[in-house]
Amino acid sequence: MRFPGGKGKTYQQVINLMPPHRVYIETHLGGGSVMRHKLPAVRNVGIDADPKVISSWSTSGAVGVDLVCGLAEDFLCEYAFCGDELVYADPPYHPHTRRQRRVYSRDYSIEDHERLLALLTSLPCMVVLSGYANDLYRSALAGWHTQTFRAKTHTDVREETLWFNFEPPEALHDSRYIGKDFRARQATKRRLQRLQDRVFRMTPVERTAFAQWFHEAFPRREWSDLK
Ligand SMILES: C[S@@+](CC[C@H](N)C(=O)[O-])C[C@H]1O[C@@H](n2cnc3c(N)ncnc32)[C@H](O)[C@@H]1O
């Protein structure tokens, strides 16, 4: 399924921002290329207001995704958050940044954006939001971190912004896409693979000495919590 603004080519940038989480909630699912490419969480929820979107996910046999046909706003108001959720929202574009008129069967007015932003900034969990920078988002999300990247659309190349309400992560839920582009990802993969091969070739005593050094050199993290 292709959508204007679908994350078909840029899902890696979004996944590279996501700290470990137990529940993953994607509120404007569409083609859901982030949902389809990331490692699943313990629970995965995909929401879309368009019944056609939800039925195409149901018939394509989405395994392990709880599908909700309804408004993102209703779901976020009603869900009992525990704090270990990650919400990813990729709403229709703000009208001032849109180059075509009405591209989805369900579009967002400025009031819809205001309501969504008020909801997202009140959530007691991790939130990532993607879109094009505009004054409303800049002021409503003033305290949030941002990351920008250039993304090809079907007409040109535009700068997309990711807003997120947590510190840039030191650990990722899914580290398979580390690197800002294809070349960087390949280079990182090769570097990690070489390191892993060397650790595999160590004797058990060498490996334990290496692990002891590692824990001493990087004592800040609870390594055992990472999956
Ligand atoms: C920008 S697209 C999402 C693209 C998606 N990230 C992808 O990779 O294809 C927007 C989606 O939001 C849905 N939508 C619009 N308003 C909504 C609302 N209030 N609640 C939930 N979904 C909504 C539309 O039906 C559409 O499928």
Side-chain angles (χ1 to χ4, degrees):
M1 200 188 313
R2 301 274 318 148
F3 276 87
K7 293 284 163 289
K9 296 205 181 72
T10 55
Y11 58 85
Q12 296 99 337
Q13 317 281 347
V14 185
I15 295 172
N16 282 345
L17 255 190
M18 295 183 165
H21 50 273
R22 190 182 61 85
V23 180
Y24 177 67
I25 300 170
E26 195 166 321
T27 56
H28 299 73
L29 188 62
S33 79
V34 173
M35 176 75 90
R36 283 186 287 106
H37 285 93
K38 76 184 274 295
L39 286 175
V42 173
R43 184 171 178 217
N44 308 282
V45 185
I47 305 144
D48 204 288
D50 186 344
K52 288 207 272 310
V53 169
I54 295 298
S55 68
S56 81
W57 272 80
S58 316
T59 53
S60 69
V63 181
V65 181
D66 297 342
L67 297 167
V68 177
C69 185
L71 297 181
E73 293 76 4
D74 292 346
F75 180 90
L76 294 175
C77 281
E78 284 157 22
Y79 188 82
F81 286 91
C82 296
D84 54 3
E85 299 86 0
L86 189 147
V87 171
Y88 170 53
D90 182 29
Y93 301 138
H94 185 282
H96 293 168
T97 64
R98 193 179 301 138
R99 290 184 178 165
Q100 291 165 278
R101 287 185 63 76
R102 249 188 107 70
V103 282
Y104 309 115
S105 57
R106 294 185 173 267
D107 252 336
Y108 259 40
S109 65
I110 291 182
E111 292 70 34
D112 293 329
H113 282 280
E114 284 171 347
R115 173 142 189 261
L116 178 69
L117 290 170
L119 266 168
L120 293 175
T121 51
S122 74
L123 295 183
C125 68
M126 297 179 281
V127 180
V128 178
L129 171 65
S130 54
Y132 296 128
N134 60 79
D135 288 340
L136 172 64
Y137 276 46
R138 264 190 285 267
S139 75
L141 303 169
W144 288 33
H145 293 272
T146 57
Q147 194 173 294
T148 56
F149 60 93
R150 293 177 68 70
K152 244 196 192 138
T153 70
H154 46 286
T155 47
D156 54 9
V157 176
R158 292 185 76 177
E159 186 174 82
E160 227 180 290
T161 301
L162 295 170
W163 288 265
F164 50 107
N165 68 349
F166 46 84
E167 292 297 317
E170 284 182 18
L172 298 181
H173 178 84
D174 184 347
S175 50
R176 293 173 302 168
Y177 306 107
I178 297 174
K180 67 172 180 9
D181 54 28
F182 179 75
R183 285 176 73 137
R185 279 192 286 279
Q186 294 297 100
T188 303
K189 235 186 226 161
R190 280 196 298 269
R191 218 169 46 234
L192 283 175
Q193 191 59 57
R194 278 200 298 271
L195 266 173
Q196 285 163 4
D197 291 346
R198 289 171 75 166
V199 176
F200 264 112
R201 286 197 303 270
M202 288 173 174
T203 66
V205 171
E206 284 171 340
R207 202 175 302 119
T208 306
F210 176 73
Q212 283 164 342
W213 165 80
F214 187 87
H215 280 91
E216 272 169 39
F218 303 98
R220 287 166 299 143
R221 294 211 63 84
E222 288 296 328
W223 294 108
S224 53
D225 284 355
L226 302 179
K227 280 193 224 95

